[in-house]
Amino acid sequence: MKAIFDKSSNLVGWIEKEHVFDLNLNWIAFLSNGNIFSSNKVKWLGPFNQGSFLDRDGKPVAWIEGVKPSGTLKPLVPTTPFRPFTPLRPLNPLKPLKPLQPLVPLGGWSKISWEMYLGR
């Protein structure tokens, strides 16, 4: 399980294989063909590119530990995948150390927060 950090290097969630969990380990999203979809309504949230969670404009909202956040050009809207089976709740991971603030990615950060990205 890898930690997910926002642009301020705050821990905002966890990713394990194709499943994304919030801080309480509730299943909130999944990865399918390079894109992130909400787990409840299978709504497209944006692309997942080299460890960065991108908004619909291709700008990073969050990133996983061990990668350098980066964006892309504005992506095309993908087809909606089938919702996978609900994963088993993972064991509580150890809270990671807060990483250093990353450099501003080329093109800048997304204007939306992690919570807005998730539609909350």
Side-chain angles (χ1 to χ4, degrees):
M1 179 134 29
K2 290 191 175 186
I4 303 169
F5 299 98
D6 66 8
K7 63 183 173 185
S8 299
S9 298
N10 296 313
L11 179 65
V12 292
W14 301 95
I15 186 166
E16 184 175 47
K17 298 180 183 173
E18 69 274 4
H19 301 292
V20 179
F21 301 92
D22 66 14
L23 294 176
N24 296 318
L25 299 178
N26 297 308
W27 183 48
I28 55 173
F30 64 93
L31 174 64
S32 178
N33 294 320
N35 290 281
I36 300 292
F37 295 87
S38 66
S39 61
N40 57 355
K41 296 183 181 177
V42 192
K43 177 184 169 194
W44 180 57
L45 303 177
F48 183 75
N49 183 45
Q50 299 177 359
S52 294
F53 292 81
L54 307 179
D55 65 15
R56 293 178 178 199
D57 290 324
K59 296 191 180 213
V61 175
W63 48 282
I64 60 171
E65 64 182 315
V67 303
K68 178 182 168 186
S70 63
T72 64
L73 298 174
K74 186 171 181 164
L76 298 174
V77 177
T79 57
T80 303
F82 291 106
R83 183 181 184 271
F85 292 112
T86 302
L88 295 174
R89 187 182 195 98
L91 298 174
N92 284 328
L94 295 175
K95 187 174 180 180
L97 295 174
K98 186 173 182 170
L100 296 174
Q101 180 74 30
L103 296 174
V104 175
L106 186 63
W109 289 99
S110 174
K111 291 183 178 14
I112 64 173
S113 69
W114 177 252
E115 291 299 316
M116 291 171 64
Y117 176 77
L118 295 172
R120 294 180 174 182

